[in-house]
Structure formats: C-alpha cells, structure tokens
Amino acid sequence: MNRTTGFQKWHYMVETPELAPVYPDGCRDVLIIRETGKRAKVVLTDFDLRPRAAELSPGTEITGFRLRPGSQVDPRVLSAIESRTERAEEILGNELAIENGPEAAIVALTLPGATVQSVSTDLGVAVRTLQRRFRDQGLPPPEYWRLLSRARQAAGLLAGYLSLAEIAFLAGFSDQAHMTREFSRWFGGSPAQLRRSPAVLDLLAQPALGNWTDEQISTR
C-alpha cells in the first residue's frame, strides 16, 4: 500500500478463462483493463454486499488500485486516468491526498464491541445524522461496515489454532451459530468450509476493511 495516497496497487494477467471469486471487503478498486486488440478501459468497482464471481477472459491484463475502505473517486478522475493510463498512480494519488469520506467513523465501526449508537455518540451526532452522512457520500450504511468487519476479522482467525467457538466469542458473535449465519451471508460458506480452503483465506487476508495498514483492528 502507498501510505501517502491510501491505495494498494496490484496486477493480474489472465492466462485461461476464469470465474474469479470476489468477496465483500469494504473497498472499491480502480481497474485498468486491457484486452487483446481493444483500448484500455477504466472501471471503478462497487461495494459488494455478497460474494460473486467475476468472469475473466484469457489475455486480459488488469492493473488495479485498491482504495482505502470508504474512499470515493470522482468520475472526472476516472476519465483522466483513462486518457493517460501511464499516469494513473499520480492522478489517483492527487485525488486521494484529500480525505473525502467518513473514514474516522468507518474505522471506529470496526473496533471490537462497537455499535452504530456508540460510534454516533463518540462522534457527537445522532444515529440518523451518521446514516445520512454515509448515504450522502454514496456509501453503504454504518451497519454494513460493522457487520462486515466483524465477519472479516473472524475469518482472519481461521488459519490459526483456535476453535470455531473461541473465534465466535473473540469476534463478538453471540454464539457459533450466529457466526455461521454471518459467514454464509458474506462469504457464501460456513467457517468450517472456509477453514478448509486456504485459497479463500488468502483472499480474505488481503488488505481491506478491518486489516488495512495502520488500521490494524484485530481480535487476536
């Protein structure tokens, strides 16, 4: 991740046809997509509410910029990147140098034991005011960030030695069954199923909501 601009650059080359899994992570990505014989196009992904699969064609090359949770990008910036893709980092860095979202509230919502009410109180605003601020920024509601963060933090513990019941307790779920329901919602499978899938755990361990560099909100 680039600490000064709040994004992480990544690159991927598609060798064979793929259905790539995508899991909710609280982040948007600016993608520069190059397909054989076509002009590069720039896409801003949306916030995922449930797991999905992205269909990728062989020969596709993707340069991505994962944005800090909650970050937004003006459409004019996307147009500028499309016009000069070689300057994408510079253009995006200038845009993100100015904080343009309720990042403090998002980080607060990822803290263990946080509720929308407690975060609103700490920020000195009413719950409806906080909800309106998120809506006005084009962001999912506060509860989205709280629930997704808790599920992702729990998923981050699956690679360790703790039992599922212990993970559910540490992550703040009422019980293991509650955690299982939330995992099915966000990740399309139970904690036990994810624990048996190192590839999925690797995807969930990438910098995102709850484990972004300098956020470091962990239940360990």
Side-chain angles (χ1 to χ4, degrees):
M1 185 196 73
N2 186 316
R3 285 182 176 274
T4 61
T5 56
F7 63 78
Q8 182 189 41
K9 183 179 180 180
W10 54 272
H11 183 265
Y12 189 66
M13 185 71 187
V14 183
E15 303 291 346
T16 58
E18 289 185 42
L19 281 177
V22 179
Y23 298 98
D25 55 22
C27 297
R28 303 184 84 174
D29 289 69
V30 174
L31 307 179
I32 301 175
I33 303 173
R34 297 178 174 88
E35 298 180 275
T36 304
K38 296 182 180 179
R39 184 173 180 269
K41 63 180 179 180
V42 175
V43 174
L44 176 64
T45 65
D46 207 346
F47 293 105
D48 287 300
L49 303 179
R50 58 187 61 83
R52 62 182 175 87
E55 187 173 354
L56 303 177
S57 302
T60 301
E61 181 180 4
I62 304 173
T63 299
F65 300 89
R66 170 163 291 190
L67 310 183
R68 184 182 179 89
S71 294
Q72 300 281 62
V73 175
D74 190 286
R76 291 173 296 180
V77 175
L78 300 179
S79 297
I81 292 174
E82 194 162 54
S83 298
R84 304 195 65 177
T85 56
E86 74 282 358
R87 294 184 56 193
E89 287 187 67
E90 176 189 348
I91 295 169
L92 194 56
N94 290 335
E95 166 74 356
L96 298 179
I98 301 174
E99 195 172 287
N100 61 354
E103 294 186 358
I106 289 173
V107 172
L109 288 163
T110 70
L111 290 167
T115 65
V116 176
Q117 179 64 66
S118 68
V119 171
S120 298
T121 299
D122 289 344
L123 294 174
V125 300
V127 168
R128 288 189 177 181
T129 299
L130 185 64
Q131 292 170 334
R132 186 177 66 251
R133 288 180 181 178
F134 276 71
R135 184 174 63 251
D136 290 348
Q137 288 282 340
L139 299 173
E143 191 72 350
Y144 164 92
W145 305 93
R146 186 182 75 84
L147 297 178
L148 175 56
S149 175
R150 181 175 61 184
R152 291 187 62 88
Q153 289 168 22
L157 297 174
L158 290 176
Y161 61 88
L162 296 174
S163 70
L164 296 182
E166 289 173 315
I167 292 174
F169 173 77
L170 288 173
F173 293 99
S174 57
D175 53 32
Q176 187 176 328
H178 180 202
M179 181 172 72
T180 296
R181 290 194 299 273
E182 287 296 292
F183 268 55
S184 295
R185 169 189 177 181
W186 295 111
F187 311 131
S190 70
Q193 290 171 324
L194 266 65
R195 177 164 259 177
R196 294 192 296 269
S197 179
V200 173
L201 294 184
D202 284 346
L203 285 175
L204 295 178
Q206 294 176 358
L209 181 67
N211 69 334
W212 194 266
T213 302
D214 83 356
E215 196 171 303
Q216 301 305 327
I217 308 302
S218 174
T219 53
R220 293 186 213 221

